[in-house]
Amino acid sequence: MTAEVESCPGYTMLDDLGEILRTARKRCAASVVDYDSFTSDSEYLNTLDAKGAEYHVVSIRKPGQPVRFAYEGYVGENDETIFSGPVLAVDADEADFAARWGIALQAGTLKGSAFFDPELFSEALEAVEVVRCSDHPVSLPELVSSARTLIAANERGEPISDLLDELAVLTALVPIHTPEAVPAAKD
């Protein structure tokens, strides 16, 4: 289901989160509540609000062609536990928003009733500090280098589990259409 929300210039997705959640929930509710069965608009709108409270958002995206971003961050004052991962986003604002969501999920601060309560949802995302969020974080030559390091360590009989994990993360972050793909594949 798609819900469009207009944003004021200079507002981020995090700034607009309350409106985004309200709009999406009402749109979902409107798909199952029959307007013609009500005798007044206020009764219909109250029912939409009540029904909307039963829904939670599973994804928030901006329109456009997404690219890969990699993020790192932490929750609250706990900068000793860094969470990281890849996200697809159309711009840095959406990437920051998606990174906050991912970090809050990884840290366990976004769960349960927070998905149904817009205020708790916002608080969980606002508590996140994103320290890095960069687009196209891995080039194919970097991926090839990581693979070569893994192979060399394996040939020497060294432990490779960490290198394998690193290669798996890098693989997820390689841009879909990388111009260097053909030359790097020939190396």
Side-chain angles (χ1 to χ4, degrees):
M1 196 277 308
T2 301
E4 292 184 25
V5 176
E6 278 193 43
S7 181
C8 293
Y11 276 44
T12 66
M13 287 181 72
L14 190 58
D15 295 333
D16 288 331
L17 181 58
E19 183 62 25
I20 292 168
L21 293 173
R22 278 188 295 281
T23 301
R25 291 167 76 171
K26 277 194 177 187
R27 176 122 170 128
C28 286
S31 69
V32 296
V33 175
D34 179 27
Y35 174 77
D36 294 330
S37 66
F38 293 91
T39 57
S40 72
D41 286 345
S42 62
E43 184 183 354
Y44 171 72
L45 292 174
N46 288 339
T47 302
L48 276 186
D49 288 338
K51 188 70 174 168
E54 298 173 13
Y55 292 96
H56 70 276
V57 175
V58 294
S59 175
I60 298 175
R61 301 291 318 251
K62 284 185 174 181
Q65 183 62 41
V67 295
R68 286 184 166 96
F69 286 78
Y71 67 81
E72 289 181 351
Y74 57 90
V75 176
E77 303 292 321
N78 189 9
D79 60 354
E80 293 176 10
T81 304
I82 300 291
F83 300 97
S84 62
V87 294
L88 291 174
V90 299
D91 60 18
D93 174 45
E94 183 182 8
D96 177 79
F97 183 84
R100 289 173 181 277
W101 192 326
I103 292 166
L105 285 171
Q106 288 174 309
T109 57
L110 184 58
K111 61 183 177 181
S113 61
F115 283 104
F116 293 95
D117 184 334
E119 191 173 312
L120 292 175
F121 194 92
S122 292
E123 288 173 7
L125 297 191
E126 288 170 0
V128 170
E129 183 69 34
V130 177
V131 294
R132 182 179 71 88
C133 194
S134 55
D135 64 334
H136 298 289
V138 177
S139 68
L140 203 51
E142 289 174 287
L143 182 64
V144 170
S145 174
S146 179
R148 287 180 176 155
T149 301
L150 172 69
I151 292 167
N154 187 52
E155 288 175 350
R156 291 189 302 269
E158 297 173 357
I160 60 169
S161 62
D162 289 345
L163 294 171
L164 194 57
D165 289 344
E166 178 185 318
L167 183 59
V169 169
L170 290 177
T171 302
L173 300 176
V174 173
I176 297 168
H177 302 289
T178 305
E180 301 119 353
V182 175
K186 292 179 184 177
D187 288 346

